[in-house]
Amino acid sequence: MSLTLVNFRIIGFDDAPDQIHIGDDGLVAKNAAPDARIIDCNGAFLSPGWCDLHVHVWHGGTDISVRASQAGRPTGVTAMADAGSAGEASFHGLREYVIDRQSETVRAFLNIGSIGLVACNRVPELIDWRSIDIDKTLAVVEANRDVICGIKVRASGVIVGSWGITPAKIAKRVAEMTKLPLMVHVGEPPPLIDEVFELLTPGDIVTHCFNGKAAGSIRDTDALFKMAQDMAARGILMDIGHGGASFNFETARASMADGLKPFSISTDLHLHSIEDPVRDLATTMSKLYGLGLSFEDCIEAVCAGPRGVLGLSGRGGLAAGTRADFTVFDFAEASLPVLDSQGNSMTLERLFEPRMTVIGNDVQPAARRAS
């Protein structure tokens, strides 16, 4: 069925039409079809479909993953990247049972550890050299280049133990060989965060960039923060990756006040973060706004930025012939108490409130997850 969207406020696009026409094929059209269904957006904002660059949605394949639907359209998200739930040994399952079955766009960062997060942290995926099979990892990338968007490594002590920086070095080499970005999880040492930073090149992604872990935070020393600023200026991408243990209000507030904006706002949504402290992407966006990130920068950090990493349309997404992919939302007054990953609290006075998503010619309602 063809659609015509009316009564909206454009944000995040280069164009600002009064109406958006979508053909029977789900592509943006120049003109309305005679039998188009009218979709009234009730004066809400309309942006490119929200993209969450860090989720865990290999439900049943790991012990922490939620269903993709819990991270997706019901909460306003039309595209997402699973951040290393699967390694080479299980990626076929993630693809068949999750990626290929969702109406949302789902991409994946392939874990450098062969077993991925099958028993997350209880059985670390990077114990020693037996944990990585480079040949099989390369083969999985080549067979799935249409959906694999990068390589993932969790470079923190709870995972790598005494193996230190070596897994991150191997992951970076594999990323270089496959010409893909590396997403690196930073946290408690070993390795030290500056050891990880020294490996990274433009296009790589630092997830959990505003964590508050001692000896694992960019705010630990002035030199580390300057290093993070220089990296961001060179095109290394800072990703929030809130999660259950990796986002600190004061780290975020101070870093943004000192000029370091996140490239992408993401949830690190999983079974241990979905109720509290994360809830959903809209609530995470609202936290960043409450900590000082502008409305426009919040939208950029869930739209053009992360969508570009996944090869999806961004600011040009209203051009005729482009697949329709939109989130419709309000920005409402509120008084909502929320937590960071260390249990610190703040009260949000404004909230991003998703109302609907449009993918192709399919329209579905959306809302924040109830607290």
Side-chain angles (χ1 to χ4, degrees):
M1 175 182 291
S2 57
L3 306 174
T4 292
L5 278 57
V6 301
N7 192 17
F8 50 76
R9 290 178 283 174
I10 286 287
I11 182 74
F13 289 107
D14 291 332
D15 302 318
D18 294 329
Q19 298 183 347
I20 298 172
H21 308 297
I22 303 169
D24 290 338
D25 55 5
L27 304 181
V28 176
K30 290 183 178 180
N31 301 303
D35 60 346
R37 175 189 171 197
I38 304 299
I39 304 296
D40 187 344
C41 297
N42 297 310
F45 290 97
L46 186 147
S47 73
W50 292 353
C51 178
D52 194 337
L53 202 58
H54 187 151
V55 296
H56 292 286
V57 293
W58 187 189
H59 182 72
T62 82
D63 66 346
I64 65 161
S65 291
V66 298
R67 290 179 170 86
S69 59
Q70 293 174 280
R73 297 186 69 179
T75 58
V77 174
T78 70
M80 66 191 83
D82 184 280
S85 297
E88 53 83 9
S90 62
F91 187 81
H92 59 289
L94 174 64
R95 172 147 202 176
E96 179 175 349
Y97 298 114
V98 180
I99 294 173
D100 290 345
R101 298 191 180 194
Q102 295 301 128
S103 64
E104 300 93 342
T105 297
V106 183
R107 301 285 186 261
F109 290 89
L110 182 66
N111 201 313
I112 193 64
S114 291
I115 67 170
L117 306 184
V118 61
C120 185
N121 293 7
R122 294 184 295 117
V123 182
E125 72 272 20
L126 294 170
I127 297 173
D128 59 29
W129 61 269
R130 295 168 296 179
S131 301
I132 298 174
D133 190 314
I134 293 175
D135 289 338
K136 289 184 178 179
T137 298
L138 293 172
V140 167
V141 170
E142 291 307 317
N144 296 277
R145 278 197 173 271
D146 57 327
V147 296
I148 290 178
C149 58
I151 304 299
K152 172 72 181 295
V153 62
R154 295 203 295 166
S156 64
V158 68
I159 312 304
V160 301
S162 61
W163 207 11
I165 192 64
T166 301
K169 288 183 174 180
I170 296 171
K172 178 58 179 173
R173 180 58 51 85
V174 170
E176 291 171 334
M177 293 168 70
T178 54
K179 295 181 171 56
L180 291 171
L182 176 66
M183 175 185 274
V184 59
H185 154 129
V186 293
E188 58 284 300
L192 289 167
I193 194 169
D194 38 327
E195 292 182 276
V196 175
F197 283 177
E198 289 168 357
L199 300 175
L200 305 182
T201 54
D204 290 339
I205 302 161
V206 176
T207 193
H208 311 316
C209 67
F210 291 157
N211 80 73
K213 297 176 180 179
S217 168
I218 59 172
R219 302 297 302 192
D220 284 337
T221 69
D222 291 342
L224 273 174
F225 184 70
K226 179 63 164 59
M227 192 176 189
Q229 288 179 304
D230 291 345
M231 290 165 55
R234 289 191 290 114
I236 294 165
L237 312 179
M238 298 291 166
D239 173 62
I240 293 298
H242 188 317
S246 299
F247 181 66
N248 179 269
F249 287 152
E250 186 52 37
T251 300
R253 181 185 289 109
S255 297
M256 292 190 296
D258 288 339
L260 183 62
K261 299 177 183 179
F263 169 82
S264 54
I265 299 173
S266 67
T267 60
D268 185 15
L269 203 68
H270 52 72
L271 286 175
H272 305 308
S273 68
I274 192 169
E275 296 301 331
D276 266 323
V278 176
R279 301 184 189 174
D280 50 36
L281 185 58
T283 304
T284 305
M285 295 163 64
S286 303
K287 291 179 183 181
L288 270 296
Y289 178 83
L291 292 166
L293 195 64
S294 73
F295 175 81
E296 292 78 10
D297 285 339
C298 285
I299 298 304
E300 185 76 9
V302 299
C303 292
R307 288 179 65 85
V309 173
L310 304 192
L312 303 175
S313 62
R315 298 193 65 85
L318 295 178
T322 304
R323 185 181 187 230
D325 191 335
F326 312 129
T327 296
V328 177
F329 66 97
D330 285 319
F331 190 51
E333 294 184 0
S335 180
L336 180 70
V338 292
L339 301 174
D340 67 9
S341 300
Q342 277 75 50
N344 302 301
S345 64
M346 66 180 292
T347 298
L348 300 179
E349 298 179 352
R350 299 297 297 268
L351 287 173
F352 291 89
E353 296 279 10
R355 300 305 185 195
M356 70 177 79
T357 61
V358 181
I359 298 180
N361 53 17
D362 179 56
V363 181
Q364 294 186 15
R368 279 190 314 106
R369 184 168 285 105
S371 57

